[in-house]
Amino acid sequence: MRRFIELAIAVLMVGAVAGCGNDSGAGPDIVTSTAPSTSSGVPDLAAGEEIAHGIDVPWGLAFLPDGGALVAERDTGRILRVVPGREPEQVYEVPGVVARGEGGLLGLAVAADYAETRYIYAYFTAADDNRIVRFRLDGQPEVIFAGLAKAGNHNGGRIAFGPDGMLYVGTGDAGQGARSQDSASPNGKILRLTPDGAPAPGNPTSGSPVYSLGHRNVQGLAWDRAGRFFAAEFGQNTFDEINLIEPGRNYGWPIVEGKGGTDRGFTDPQVIWKPSEASPSGIAISGDTLYVAALRGEQLWTVPLHDGTLGTPQTQLPDLGRLRTVTIAPDGALWLTTSNTDGRGDVRAGDDRIIRFPAR
């Protein structure tokens, strides 16, 4: 941790001397000293290394097969390619992004068969809705799913390919809780789609994209090594949640927030927090640990994971501000993005940042 603190001080000094690099129109600056990961091991949270800063509200983050990362800037619609030791490079700009409130360019996913198709997927807020497109970095986007209600908040936005090769989508209720219990609405749900955007075979209701319902605002999706599926959900005023997701289950919103719904046919969360402690966005799993990036809570939570059951959360990294996305890289390193420039944080010199924790 001493190494990380020293690096953070150095970044602050750079920021004080250089000012806000993006004001000049230049690309993000970079400070890096990247230690290798082992071929197996867990992320070392005492060995954080900043690999990029000056990023404009980083949101989605997905890895290419070569280990480089694609990072979505929520408000600009740009996608940057980030490689440790190099300056971030813009490689695409998604057309039609309308960034207002919590909306904009949100989740990213790389196709499971990227080597053959070269497809990248993005979830974003457009003029009339939230939608998902796929594209190649040298081509135009193709809309594969549209019609998700949008609002100033509760837009969901996380997308990820599951172990079954299907595309999973976390959506929000767009400010109207009744949508979450309406099986005909895709809002307030986790959706399961084919790579072409159609309802996936084997969904609970044939022909429907809905995999689970009763969600308020899902922004974290992750699978453990046994294929069990977990999701993070923003609560309203009482409880945030980590849920073990199973097909066809109803997770209660807006009738239930937190635990206490099983006698009414709802599925209780495995972990709950007060929103002031968490407001969980991205989640990731490495080995026997679930990592949770907390926005309002301004910390990283680690949660022990054993045979599909989550233990008592512990707080980590309380000095970085709002945390949006946490992801495990192909080499086992943990990548983390801050979200202090999203309009709700206290901006520090150098924000927003991407930090890497090598696996040991």
Side-chain angles (χ1 to χ4, degrees), residues 229-244:
F229 181 26
F230 294 86
E233 183 165 341
F234 290 93
Q236 184 171 29
N237 298 317
T238 309
F239 293 115
D240 296 325
E241 303 175 359
I242 300 293
N243 287 292
L244 174 62

Side-chain angles (χ1 to χ4, degrees), residues 21 48 92 98 105 111 113 119 127 150 172 175 186 247 250 260 269 288-289 303 311 317 337 350 356 359:
Y92 200 81
V98 178
L105 179 57
D113 59 353
Y119 276 133
K150 69 173 219 176
N250 188 324
D288 297 323
T289 302
V303 189
L317 308 178
T337 74
R356 176 181 179 272

Side-chain angles (χ1 to χ4, degrees), residues 41 75 83 91 102 119 122 125 136 138 171 187 239 245 257 260 263 292 301 303 313 319-320 325 335:
D75 290 354
V83 177
V91 293
E102 296 175 1
Y119 276 133
T125 310
R136 298 180 178 95
D138 60 355
T171 73
N187 284 83
F239 293 115
I245 303 299
E257 181 180 357
D263 60 343
V292 182
W301 289 93
V303 189
D319 302 319
L320 298 174
T325 295
W335 288 43

Side-chain angles (χ1 to χ4, degrees), residues 183-277:
S183 60
S185 169
N187 284 83
K189 311 293 191 300
I190 293 176
L191 310 179
R192 179 173 173 265
L193 308 174
T194 69
D196 296 329
N203 279 357
T205 299
S206 178
S208 169
V210 174
Y211 190 71
S212 63
L213 69 160
H215 300 290
R216 182 172 181 268
N217 191 18
V218 175
Q219 286 190 7
L221 307 172
W223 289 262
D224 70 8
R225 55 192 164 199
R228 288 175 286 246
F229 181 26
F230 294 86
E233 183 165 341
F234 290 93
Q236 184 171 29
N237 298 317
T238 309
F239 293 115
D240 296 325
E241 303 175 359
I242 300 293
N243 287 292
L244 174 62
I245 303 299
E246 296 180 328
R249 293 291 184 93
N250 188 324
Y251 291 83
W253 177 256
I255 300 166
V256 177
E257 181 180 357
K259 297 183 178 181
T262 56
D263 60 343
R264 286 170 281 178
F266 302 121
T267 300
D268 277 353
Q270 289 215 1
V271 173
I272 58 175
W273 293 272
K274 296 178 182 178
S276 60
E277 297 174 329

Side-chain angles (χ1 to χ4, degrees), residues 68-92:
L70 298 178
V71 177
E73 290 188 324
R74 185 191 71 182
D75 290 354
T76 69
R78 302 193 311 162
I79 296 177
L80 308 177
R81 187 169 187 268
V82 176
V83 177
R86 303 181 193 173
E87 183 176 347
E89 170 191 11
Q90 180 179 335
V91 293
Y92 200 81

Side-chain angles (χ1 to χ4, degrees), residues 166-189:
M166 298 296 108
L167 182 66
Y168 290 76
V169 182
T171 73
D173 66 11
Q176 296 188 22
R179 292 183 173 126
S180 300
Q181 292 296 323
D182 180 359
S183 60
S185 169
N187 284 83
K189 311 293 191 300

